[in-house]
Every structure is written in structure tokens, then in C-alpha cells.
Amino acid sequence: MQTIRSFIAIPLSPQVGRNAVRLIEALSVPGDGIRWVPKDNLHLTLKFLGEVDNVEVPQVCKIIRNVTQDFEPFDLDFAGAGGFPNLDRPRVLCVHIDDPTNSLSQMVARLETELAEIGFKPEPRDYVPHLTLGRTKGGSRRASGDVLERVKAHAEMRLGQMNVDTVALIASFLEKQGPSYQVMDTIDLGE
């Protein structure tokens, strides 16, 4: 049996993806202590699954289908650079997401419940929708004041609105230059 490091995510629209790349370019400076997300790896994570036995992948896909069939496509609004858990001491630099229909949060809650039934550990914290742009690295796990100032200067930047109509199960392969991702399955909402 083989395990596959996996997560469930929503792929970004081309517009939101381009704007996220522009924002990373505006925020990043060499040696700033942040591990920025490569442009090809930008996505909206719904649930990190960790190591999944390859024989469990079909069951995970079935659960994703069961959950997503109850959701019609919905809009999300990506606006405002910030930090997570907060901008005073961020471990993650991100873009905030407005979920006006609450569909995203409801979907994640259902995924958490149904995946827990087959042994996946539920997240201990409530889901807070955000698009990760970068993570602090090194011993201090703190972003420099310069980085925080640049983030604050982009706190009102809008990346755009996006219609969510698919969810993907993605395999993550850790390599020297960072993770590479491969889509294992794409599931349409409402089907």
C-alpha cells in the first residue's frame, strides 16, 4: 500500500490567480523571511488530509461528490491582504475571502464531518476562508516589520470575485525546490 499526501481545494479563476501573483510580487523582497507560494501552486484549501492510503482515494472522492452535489455554484470575493491568525504575529500571509452565501463554510463543515467518519482527524479550529500567499520561515516564525508594512499597504486590494463550480482532490509531492501538485480528481458542484 502506498500513501499520497493529499488535500481538497478549489482551483482559482485565471483573474484571481493573476491578481494573487501580482500581489505576491508587490509584497515579496528577497531575503524577507517568507516562503511565498509559487504561482502554479496557488489554490484555496478546504481540507488538508495528510497521508492518504492510495486504496482510500476512491472513498475520499465519493465523500467529496456526496457533499458537493448539494451545492450549486457560488461566488467568493477575494479582497484585502492580511495575516493569519492575525497581522500582529502572522504565521501566514493571505488574502481574506468573503463568502456571502456561507456556502464555502457549510461545504467545509460537511467535508470535516463526513471525512471524520472514515478516520480523518477534524480540524480543531473553525474554518476561516483565506488564500495563502506565503508562510513565515525560520526559527522566529515572524514576518519582518517591512513585510507587515507592505501587507498593510495592500489591505484594501481586491483580487476579484470568482464563481466556484469545482472542487479538486490534489496530491502533493515534497521536493527540494518545494511541493509540486497533481490533480487526482475534479468534482463539479451540483452533480
Side-chain angles (χ1 to χ4, degrees):
M1 205 168 340
Q2 181 182 356
T3 62
I4 305 166
R5 190 171 188 262
S6 309
F7 61 91
I8 302 168
I10 292 172
L12 299 181
S13 71
Q15 176 203 4
V16 170
R18 277 192 306 272
N19 289 337
V21 169
R22 285 189 195 112
L23 180 54
I24 289 172
E25 289 169 352
L27 297 176
S28 64
V29 171
D32 59 13
I34 306 295
R35 192 172 49 248
W36 297 99
V37 176
K39 67 178 181 176
D40 293 337
N41 288 3
L42 286 165
H43 62 273
L44 174 55
T45 303
L46 302 183
K47 169 121 180 106
F48 180 73
L49 299 171
E51 297 294 330
V52 177
D53 287 332
N54 60 347
V55 296
E56 290 180 303
V57 169
Q59 190 175 14
V60 170
C61 291
K62 184 178 179 183
I63 287 173
I64 297 169
R65 276 194 169 71
N66 285 346
V67 169
T68 58
Q69 73 182 357
D70 294 337
F71 290 87
E72 291 302 317
F74 58 90
D75 290 334
L76 296 175
D77 193 29
F78 293 72
F84 195 79
N86 58 57
L87 196 49
D88 295 329
R89 294 180 61 101
R91 288 187 312 273
V92 171
L93 299 179
C94 64
V95 172
H96 300 294
I97 297 173
D98 183 31
D99 177 19
T101 64
N102 206 32
S103 294
L104 180 64
S105 297
Q106 290 174 19
M107 183 185 300
V108 170
R110 290 234 351 245
L111 285 168
E112 286 285 355
T113 300
E114 293 195 27
L115 289 164
E117 291 173 7
I118 63 165
F120 288 95
K121 188 177 177 187
E123 276 296 318
R125 297 178 296 270
D126 288 340
Y127 181 74
V128 177
H130 66 281
L131 171 64
T132 299
L133 301 175
R135 290 179 172 77
T136 56
K137 61 182 179 180
S140 72
R141 305 277 294 162
R142 293 190 69 182
S144 71
D146 291 346
V147 172
L148 296 181
E149 288 305 314
R150 287 193 297 277
V151 171
K152 287 175 186 172
H154 291 85
E156 302 299 318
M157 182 178 175
R158 294 180 47 81
L159 270 61
Q161 192 175 67
M162 180 183 117
N163 185 260
V164 176
D165 58 3
T166 61
V167 172
L169 178 62
I170 301 175
S172 173
F173 302 98
L174 298 178
E175 298 164 4
K176 262 193 287 196
Q177 66 274 20
S180 66
Y181 299 150
Q182 179 180 338
V183 175
M184 292 189 284
D185 198 5
T186 301
I187 296 117
D188 293 330
L189 268 58
E191 288 190 9

